[in-house]
Amino acid sequence: MARSNARGDRTPVARHAPLPTRSAFSTLLRFLGIALGVVLVSAIAVGSFIVVDLLNRAGQDAVTLEVAPEVDPPTIGAYPGDKAFSILVIGTDECSEQTTALLKERCTEADGGILNDVNLLVHVSAEPRNVTVVSLPRDLMIPVPECTRADGSVASPMQKQSINSLFQHAGLSCVVKTVSTLADMPIEFAAKMSFDGVMAITDAIGGVEVCIAGDGIRDPYTNIDWPAGLKTISGYEALQFIRTRHGVGDESDLARISNQQQYMSRLAKKVLSSETLTDIPTVLRLAGAVADNIVPSEELKDPLRLAQIALALKDVRFSDFVFVQYPNLTDPDDSNKVVPNWDAAEALWTAVKSGQPLELTGDVATHGGVELTTPAPEETTETPDPTSTEVPDVRTTLPPDISGQTLEQETCAVGNQR
């Protein structure tokens, strides 16, 4: 049997024969192959960790909706094109340690109740997709049905109650049930976000550029003193901007809604832009911010569902992405509250449920909160081609007492100097 040498099992060679040596090039290739393998394995491991992490974070404290319709389990790809869906998003005035340090008296002197001061119903039609975001005023007085709380107790119905008290009354599910009854429309998904979420999501996409007109905004209640012009806001400044009421228009909550729609419009355009959607680190930051800062309904907690919704929205034309304010009138029993304008509201809900894109005829704002800055489209004298096979752009026209703006329009806050 051949004897092994002391250094291993390689057969000895004659001393005068030169040992073969690896070239520098082959050594480099071998090194790159190992490095590539490490990178691929690491990428798979990190990707798996991210997915599992998002699943765990997004599912924490998920809320069961009392009246949510049954939906199919989420799959890879866009939300089914033959199905419309709605999401109710509420913004609460909860204060964490971070926001308490920033807002001070606003948080420390609060009475302990949590109010849903922002209420947005987002409706997405079946394909061809269009999106309508309905802002419901915080002081809207509406009927409230009987609700079952998370602990199983039952909250009594109320004939007339401010919508922003419903989260404290019986939780997210009750807000969804009330709005679903008001609109006579199923609401498949819901989510709650607090002050921290506004700051985190705006930070995740690198800030949002907003526009301030008039004399600039000065509001001691939100500590704003900003000149007129364009301003990129993120973090605490984003929270200040969407909270300011006394700094815009006639200082009413209805003027504030118009300004919040400016912020939401510019935020949506940035999120849906190719620059954001193709920037993987930004997408991951945004996904993490959402997972960490929303409390979803059970049907929304799966990141695959969030991906389905994002894919359903990504190709919606800006002209078919509309923000409107729920039509209202001054409450005859309390001038600080509003009640539904039932006739205009019926026209709005009928238009939304039609599945057709909406045509706005009202002002972009109520109570002077914003002004339109988008240049008017140029008039054309071209005669339509009678042989064209292009399908006409059919729209449902809303009455002029419904205010709002499309995503392609740009508005500026009409600032006040107090």
Side-chain angles (χ1 to χ4, degrees):
M1 184 172 78
R3 195 183 74 170
S4 298
N5 69 355
R7 296 186 179 181
D9 295 330
R10 197 172 89 179
T11 303
V13 296
R15 292 182 183 273
H16 59 269
L19 283 172
T21 59
R22 295 182 184 273
S23 70
F25 181 68
S26 64
T27 301
L28 177 62
L29 284 179
R30 183 169 176 271
F31 173 78
L32 290 177
I34 294 171
L36 181 60
V38 170
V39 169
L40 289 174
V41 171
S42 300
I44 293 170
V46 170
S48 301
F49 171 79
I50 290 170
V51 171
V52 172
D53 182 50
L54 286 175
L55 279 166
N56 291 334
R57 288 150 61 191
Q60 290 177 353
D61 304 319
V63 175
T64 300
L65 300 182
E66 187 178 352
V67 294
E70 187 174 341
V71 291
D72 293 332
T75 58
I76 295 175
Y79 198 83
D82 62 339
K83 297 183 184 298
F85 61 92
S86 296
I87 311 169
L88 184 73
V89 180
I90 70 169
T92 59
D93 63 352
E94 296 166 87
C95 291
S96 65
E97 289 185 10
Q98 178 186 15
T99 46
T100 298
L102 294 169
L103 300 179
K104 300 180 173 62
E105 291 84 1
R106 166 62 184 77
C107 293
T108 57
E109 295 176 4
D111 60 7
I114 298 174
L115 301 176
N116 50 298
D117 279 341
V118 176
N119 302 275
L120 305 171
L121 179 61
V122 182
H123 179 77
V124 183
S125 74
E127 291 181 351
R129 302 287 192 190
N130 64 77
V131 180
T132 307
V133 182
V134 182
S135 296
L136 298 125
R138 67 186 293 276
D139 296 319
L140 182 67
M141 305 294 290
I142 51 176
V144 179
E146 178 180 278
C147 295
T148 301
R149 299 186 178 96
D151 63 3
S153 62
V154 176
S156 300
M158 295 178 283
Q159 188 173 18
K160 185 180 179 183
Q161 185 65 33
S162 177
I163 191 173
N164 77 327
S165 67
L166 298 187
F167 183 79
Q168 183 177 351
H169 173 63
L172 176 62
S173 179
C174 191
V175 187
V176 172
K177 186 175 183 179
T178 302
V179 175
S180 179
T181 303
L182 181 70
D184 189 23
M185 181 188 302
I187 297 176
E188 287 79 4
F189 313 110
K192 175 183 78 73
M193 181 183 300
S194 64
F195 288 153
D196 285 3
V198 174
M199 295 189 289
I201 288 174
T202 312
D203 278 347
I205 63 168
V208 174
E209 185 180 69
V210 295
C211 178
I212 303 168
D215 298 321
I217 295 177
R218 180 179 296 155
D219 180 2
Y221 295 95
T222 51
N223 296 315
I224 290 179
D225 188 0
W226 299 341
L230 295 173
K231 180 178 178 65
T232 299
I233 57 174
S234 59
Y236 180 46
E237 287 185 335
L239 182 60
Q240 289 174 294
F241 186 74
I242 68 166
R243 288 188 63 239
T244 185
R245 189 183 83 196
H246 299 286
V248 294
D250 66 357
E251 305 183 27
S252 67
D253 181 60
L254 301 178
R256 171 165 56 185
I257 286 177
S258 296
N259 192 47
Q260 289 173 343
Q261 288 180 340
Q262 181 212 165
Y263 166 82
M264 290 187 294
S265 173
R266 292 172 181 267
L267 172 67
K269 276 194 280 195
K270 186 164 185 180
V271 170
L272 294 172
S273 69
S274 59
E275 289 80 5
T276 298
L277 295 178
T278 58
D279 185 339
I280 301 304
T282 298
V283 170
L284 291 177
R285 284 198 304 271
L286 186 58
V290 170
D292 284 338
N293 290 282
I294 70 166
V295 176
S297 63
E298 282 286 344
E299 297 78 7
L300 191 64
K301 70 179 183 180
D302 193 324
L304 273 180
R305 181 74 75 196
L306 296 175
Q308 278 190 310
I309 291 171
L311 289 172
L313 297 179
K314 74 180 183 67
D315 292 325
V316 176
R317 296 183 302 177
F318 283 1
S319 60
D320 295 340
F321 205 124
V322 176
F323 296 86
V324 297
Q325 185 174 139
Y326 182 79
N328 58 82
L329 303 167
T330 302
D331 186 348
D333 299 325
D334 184 347
S335 60
N336 292 318
K337 304 290 185 180
V338 294
V339 293
N341 178 340
W342 292 109
D343 290 340
E346 183 178 359
L348 171 63
W349 297 132
T350 300
V352 170
K353 286 181 277 191
S354 75
Q356 296 177 349
L358 304 184
E359 183 73 33
L360 296 171
T361 61
D363 196 354
V364 293
T366 59
H367 299 257
V370 297
E371 63 183 25
L372 184 63
T373 61
T374 305
E378 295 182 5
E379 294 186 4
T380 178
T381 57
E382 293 182 8
T383 304
D385 181 0
T387 63
S388 174
T389 58
E390 185 176 345
V391 178
D393 190 11
V394 179
R395 292 178 175 271
T396 299
T397 302
L398 294 178
D401 43 5
I402 298 178
S403 68
Q405 70 171 88
T406 68
L407 203 60
E408 69 178 353
Q409 292 177 306
E410 292 191 354
T411 58
C412 286
V414 178
N416 292 327
Q417 289 285 327
R418 292 176 55 81

